Amino acid sequence: MCSDKKEPDYALGTKSDGTDSFETITALVAADHEHDIKLRTMSWQKTACLLAGEQVCLAIMAQSWSLSVLGWVPGIITMVLCGLLFWVTSITMHKYIMKHPHIMDICDFGYHVFGQSKAAYVFSAFMMLANNILLIGFHVLTGAKVLNTLSDHSLCTAVFSVIVAIMGIVMSMPRTLQHVSFMSMSACMGIAVILFLVFAGIEDAPFYGPKGNYPTEGPVKTYAFPRPGTTWVACMNAVMNITFIWVPQILFPTFISEMERPQDFPKALAVLAAISAILFIVPSAIGFRYLGQYATAPAFGSLGVVSYKKASFGFVIVPTLVIGVIYANVTGKFIYTRILGKSRHSHSHTVIGWSVWGAIMVGIWILGFVFAEIIPSMGDFLSLLSAAFDSFFGFIYFAVAYWQLNRGSLFENRRQTAMTVLNAFIMVVGLFLLGPGLYAAVEAIIADYSGSITPAFTCANMAI
């Protein structure tokens, strides 16, 4: 719900003890609770469930492939570094929002952090909509892959995509994130990961590899560094695959804006960081250990026994739908506010309000369905998303926010100097992803189009 409202009481870059911000938050919560549809109701525990539900996703199962490209040393270093930068940038975001508590989403954040720039607001809005709708498309395609796998391709793949989109529309009807947070408490992704690790461990060897069937590339082996012949484009795509899973901050301002006590957000963030550190690194390392150079993305595709694939991959359908719903909710609120503004329909149970909300959800999921059908390779497209969007929403925006919060005192002591240097590095990472990273992603997509690609709205079997 991006707004153009300015906040003259909170000057950019000035220090504050937070008293005025806390008073403003109290007033905002009180005003919200007078409405029929209350948004600012989430506790930090529910926010933690929402964060985990959004970030614990299928992309976890692509990390073993990243390790198979990069090797142990660069791969693990990249994972740990991404985790560290995720924590630093997320805390910077929270500090900035606490000084500007009227911020409702990443569009408002961009507007303020770049000096209340209308251009930054419009750019942030476009990038948010593009990112979220493309990700919804990714989850539509993932859902179709799951149904293909479970049913042995009993229906046309495009029909499966329609089924997933309809399910997404129905699940997206609640208008508050508190309702969505209950959906996010599913342990299905954890079950899928555990089953995969068990099956990978008991199989004699992986069956499918990126270049053929086992043992065309020899015995399974792991290695410290990229194998000879690994291209720079492949390495960059592997790095961006890791980066993608660690950069969910585009949704954080919206989550914070619906908390009853947004000052408690670091508690929810700590829970997410602990869960992410375990789930993003440990299963990936175990998967690489058993799959080696035969690792696929997602790793379920490396399992040889069909029943193992179905038993583990089938659980992915629940988090796939829930994550799509979360992105649809955030996107829908932005569009909804653009249409109805602050009229009574935006916070009351009216026929017009619910009709507009329903129409928006249908439109969002239809667009997601279309993107799911026309994109040739979702793996490469995730790299493109990481380069084009995560460079801004995971790094550049928060390096600028740090400067706005601390300008005038960037080097006042050793700790501040160290943090300034770290945030300068964060800016460099963002620019690197935007430059060489975007080039590598585009090169990979061009390579897809130059070969045999799946036609749009296909009935071809897309089971893993």
Side-chain angles (χ1 to χ4, degrees):
M1 296 182 294
C2 296
S3 63
D4 296 335
K5 182 177 179 180
K6 294 184 179 180
E7 298 170 28
D9 295 335
Y10 302 96
L12 295 178
T14 58
K15 287 190 174 182
S16 170
D17 60 6
T19 302
D20 292 339
S21 294
F22 290 151
E23 290 177 355
T24 302
I25 290 168
T26 301
L28 289 170
V29 172
D32 174 79
H33 286 186
E34 293 178 357
H35 299 152
D36 293 337
I37 299 176
K38 302 172 179 61
L39 299 178
R40 297 179 181 268
T41 56
M42 284 200 301
S43 64
W44 73 263
Q45 292 93 339
K46 290 180 179 178
T47 304
C49 291
L50 194 65
L51 291 172
E54 186 273 330
Q55 198 167 2
V56 178
C57 60
L58 180 63
I60 293 174
M61 302 308 296
Q63 304 309 298
S64 294
W65 170 82
S66 293
L67 287 176
S68 75
V69 175
L70 298 172
W72 285 115
V73 176
I76 296 298
I77 289 176
T78 302
M79 290 177 177
V80 173
L81 182 60
C82 283
L84 172 63
L85 299 185
F86 160 76
W87 176 262
V88 172
T89 53
S90 299
I91 289 296
T92 298
M93 169 189 281
H94 178 255
K95 288 180 179 178
Y96 193 88
I97 292 176
M98 292 307 294
K99 289 191 65 176
H100 305 274
H102 288 88
I103 289 175
M104 298 295 288
D105 54 31
I106 197 67
C107 309
D108 283 344
F109 189 89
Y111 168 74
H112 282 281
V113 82
F114 288 101
Q116 299 188 355
S117 166
K118 292 286 186 180
Y121 174 86
V122 172
F123 174 78
S124 300
F126 170 77
M127 295 287 278
M128 181 193 74
L129 289 174
N131 177 80
N132 290 4
I133 292 175
L134 286 171
L135 279 173
I136 290 169
F138 169 73
H139 288 93
V140 170
L141 181 57
T142 300
K145 284 180 176 288
V146 174
L147 295 179
N148 260 299
T149 302
L150 293 178
S151 68
D152 295 321
H153 188 52
S154 62
L155 291 175
C156 173
T157 294
V159 174
F160 280 134
S161 296
V162 170
I163 292 172
V164 174
I166 292 173
M167 294 170 67
I169 291 171
V170 173
M171 292 174 64
S172 297
M173 284 303 145
R175 284 163 60 177
T176 66
L177 285 173
Q178 171 158 290
H179 289 87
V180 179
S181 70
F182 287 109
M183 304 180 195
S184 302
M185 291 189 286
S186 170
C188 288
M189 193 65 223
I191 295 174
V193 171
I194 292 172
L195 287 175
F196 162 75
L197 295 177
V198 170
F199 295 148
I202 63 178
E203 278 193 330
D204 292 333
F207 184 65
Y208 296 111
K211 297 180 181 178
N213 295 340
Y214 181 85
T216 55
E217 294 187 15
V220 173
K221 60 182 178 181
T222 62
Y223 27 89
F225 296 95
R227 291 184 295 169
T230 303
T231 65
W232 179 82
V233 170
C235 288
M236 276 303 305
N237 280 329
V239 168
M240 289 187 293
N241 197 292
I242 295 172
T243 303
F244 174 82
I245 198 173
W246 277 104
V247 181
Q249 291 100 320
I250 189 173
L251 302 182
F252 283 9
T254 304
F255 294 169
I256 294 172
S257 72
E258 295 201 22
M259 292 183 68
E260 191 166 16
R261 286 179 50 85
Q263 55 267 43
D264 289 340
F265 179 74
K267 297 178 182 178
L269 186 66
V271 173
L272 175 64
I275 293 173
S276 299
I278 296 172
L279 287 182
F280 292 177
I281 298 177
V282 175
S284 306
I286 296 175
F288 182 43
R289 159 66 180 80
Y290 285 105
L291 303 178
Q293 71 273 32
Y294 292 96
T296 60
F300 301 110
S302 298
L303 295 175
V305 180
V306 174
S307 60
Y308 290 174
K309 285 185 184 182
K310 292 183 178 181
S312 54
F313 193 41
F315 283 96
V316 174
I317 190 66
V318 175
T320 294
L321 286 168
V322 169
I323 294 169
V325 168
I326 293 173
Y327 277 96
N329 185 280
V330 173
T331 307
K333 282 174 180 170
F334 170 80
I335 300 172
Y336 189 85
T337 303
R338 296 299 92 195
I339 296 174
L340 295 179
K342 295 184 178 180
S343 68
R344 66 186 183 90
H345 304 293
S346 65
H347 51 70
S348 299
H349 296 292
T350 66
V351 174
I352 292 177
W354 280 103
S355 297
V356 171
W357 179 260
I360 290 171
M361 286 299 117
V362 171
I364 287 173
W365 281 94
I366 288 177
L367 282 175
F369 164 77
V370 171
F371 279 115
E373 295 303 304
I374 64 177
I375 293 170
S377 170
M378 286 307 300
D380 291 338
F381 215 81
L382 285 180
S383 296
L384 181 62
L385 287 174
S386 180
F389 300 112
D390 293 349
S391 55
F392 288 102
F393 297 136
F395 300 95
I396 294 174
Y397 272 41
F398 309 118
V400 176
Y402 173 83
W403 177 78
Q404 293 281 24
L405 286 170
N406 299 281
R407 60 183 181 181
S409 61
L410 295 172
F411 304 99
E412 68 177 5
N413 54 52
R414 291 183 179 179
R415 181 183 181 281
Q416 195 70 40
T417 299
M419 290 302 298
T420 299
V421 171
L422 179 58
N423 277 273
F425 175 71
I426 289 172
M427 174 63 80
V428 170
V429 171
L431 294 174
F432 183 77
L433 287 178
L434 186 60
L438 187 59
Y439 170 81
V442 171
E443 282 291 312
I445 290 177
I446 291 174
D448 280 338
Y449 272 106
S450 65
S452 58
I453 62 172
T454 302
F457 302 97
T458 182
C459 279
N461 188 1
M462 297 184 67
I464 62 170

